[in-house]
Amino acid sequence: MLVNTRDMLKRAKEEKYAICQFNINNLEWTRFILEECEINKAPVILGVSYGASKYMGGFNTVFNMVEALIKDLNITIPVALHLDHGVDFQSCKEAIDVGFTSVMIDASKNPLNKNIEITKKVVDYAKTFDVSVEAEIGHIGGEEDGITGNILYAEVEDCISLVKETNIDSLAPALGSVHGIYKGEPNLEFNRMLEIKEKTNIPLVLHGASGIPESDIQKAINRGIAKININTELQIGWSTEVRSFLNSNPNVYDPRLIIKAGESVFKNIVKEKLILTGSANRF
Ligand code: 13P
């Protein structure tokens, strides 16, 4: 069932576990994620970046593909279809208009007052369609859709203002995580995370969760993280397996066999994350 993220994140926050957002890049990955989450009875968020949506054909294609897979695969768990890092009002509006149930507006490159203004505009529009909204503050580092940036830690007071002024449903404060592969050890600001949780009282989101040690993920969940985002670990796991399959099977050319070669490794990563975050068996 397609739903927004409000209830799943509220419950995760109250019961101290985290919902997984797995990013999708094609039909097969979407099917792998839905099937594995259904087996594990875990509510899930399918994250789609603007670049990934363009790659797949556009928001409309993605929405219809996800809706059809839920139906054809008899998926019963709650599934949210979420725009990841919507860069402006227009891209969030386009996703909402075709049926996405959740959007992230990432206006974090702007000064606080502008971030608030853009985020509020998205929230006002989204609320009419019962779509949930996530916003970012500070700057999560690393590479996303080909854009590279340095970490800029979120300030507690800015988080409070953004939440109060906009009425968002969840907040992604930059606290040391990066998108993509970590150079060195991740260094998360756990004290600030807890302070932001206590002062804003909304579900917090950890971007760039690939490569963060399990103990840090658990610490983060205890300090208010109710959603973690995973993309790179799935990409590395799947592509490593497919590369090795192609090397050992140079005569295979059926794309179904090639893509499928990464299925069980991919699904294992999904399962590990569901167990780690405590979101398995919540439905
Ligand atoms: P990773 O690619 O580092 O897993 O991050 C995913 C993410 O945060 C998507 O917004």
Side-chain angles (χ1 to χ4, degrees):
M1 192 186 23
L2 265 184
V3 296
N4 66 33
T5 62
R6 217 164 283 137
D7 287 349
M8 60 170 97
L9 291 186
K10 185 169 172 273
R11 187 174 157 209
K13 172 178 163 281
E14 281 165 10
E15 297 180 24
K16 285 210 171 155
Y17 59 92
I19 302 289
C20 294
Q21 170 185 311
F22 298 111
N23 281 58
I24 58 171
N25 290 288
N26 55 29
L27 181 142
E28 290 85 350
W29 282 32
T30 312
R31 177 171 68 73
F32 299 164
I33 295 164
L34 289 174
E35 286 176 347
E36 195 58 30
C37 290
E38 179 72 20
I39 288 174
N40 287 282
K41 299 283 161 227
V44 69
I45 299 169
L46 301 176
V48 188
S49 69
Y50 194 73
S53 107
K54 284 279 162 240
Y55 170 78
M56 288 183 269
F59 288 142
N60 210 27
T61 308
V62 174
F63 173 77
N64 283 292
M65 173 185 79
V66 168
E67 205 181 41
L69 281 173
I70 289 175
K71 197 167 168 205
D72 282 350
L73 301 173
N74 296 316
I75 300 297
T76 60
I77 47 161
V79 178
L81 179 58
H82 175 80
L83 172 64
D84 193 24
H85 293 279
V87 285
D88 53 19
F89 173 78
Q90 192 54 31
S91 53
C92 292
K93 180 179 181 301
E94 281 169 29
I96 293 168
D97 288 347
V98 304
F100 276 50
T101 56
S102 183
V103 292
M104 173 188 191
I105 171 67
D106 178 0
S108 63
K109 64 177 187 300
N110 298 286
L112 179 65
N113 57 352
K114 191 75 186 162
N115 188 349
I116 290 175
E117 183 191 316
I118 300 169
T119 302
K120 189 162 172 20
K121 192 170 170 198
V122 173
V123 171
D124 289 345
Y125 189 75
K127 288 273 145 84
T128 14
F129 299 90
D130 202 25
V131 165
S132 45
V133 179
E134 173 183 324
E136 176 171 326
I137 191 137
H139 186 73
I140 293 155
E143 184 171 318
E144 187 75 0
D145 262 356
I147 301 162
T148 325
N150 294 326
I151 305 171
L152 179 66
Y153 284 80
E155 300 294 338
V156 178
E157 291 308 316
D158 292 353
C159 293
I160 298 170
S161 305
L162 184 70
V163 171
K164 236 165 110 186
E165 301 287 329
T166 62
N167 210 14
I168 46 174
D169 300 288
S170 57
L171 175 69
L175 292 170
S177 60
V178 301
H179 293 118
I181 296 169
Y182 283 83
K183 297 186 186 90
E185 284 294 302
N187 190 10
L188 299 182
E189 269 273 4
F190 290 110
N191 291 340
R192 208 185 295 195
M193 195 181 277
L194 185 60
E195 198 182 345
I196 294 168
K197 177 219 162 182
E198 282 168 353
K199 294 193 170 155
T200 61
N201 198 28
I202 64 166
L204 301 182
V205 180
L206 181 64
H207 280 247
S210 291
I212 296 184
E214 295 194 352
S215 56
D216 279 3
I217 297 278
Q218 264 144 4
K219 251 168 128 175
I221 293 172
N222 283 327
R223 286 161 181 75
I225 293 294
K227 170 177 180 266
I228 68 162
N229 290 6
I230 308 276
N231 188 20
T232 303
E233 265 185 66
L234 295 172
Q235 295 186 337
I236 293 175
W238 179 83
S239 59
T240 305
E241 212 49 33
V242 169
R243 191 171 294 116
S244 133
F245 173 80
L246 285 170
N247 285 338
S248 345
N249 298 276
N251 297 324
V252 172
Y253 49 82
D254 182 339
R256 292 170 297 184
L257 296 180
I258 296 168
I259 294 172
K260 201 176 167 43
E263 177 171 346
S264 75
V265 163
F266 186 103
K267 284 182 166 174
N268 276 339
I269 298 172
V270 169
K271 185 175 181 176
E272 276 169 18
K273 298 298 174 191
L274 299 178
I275 292 168
L276 170 66
T277 53
S279 65
N281 297 313
R282 296 287 178 174
F283 176 72

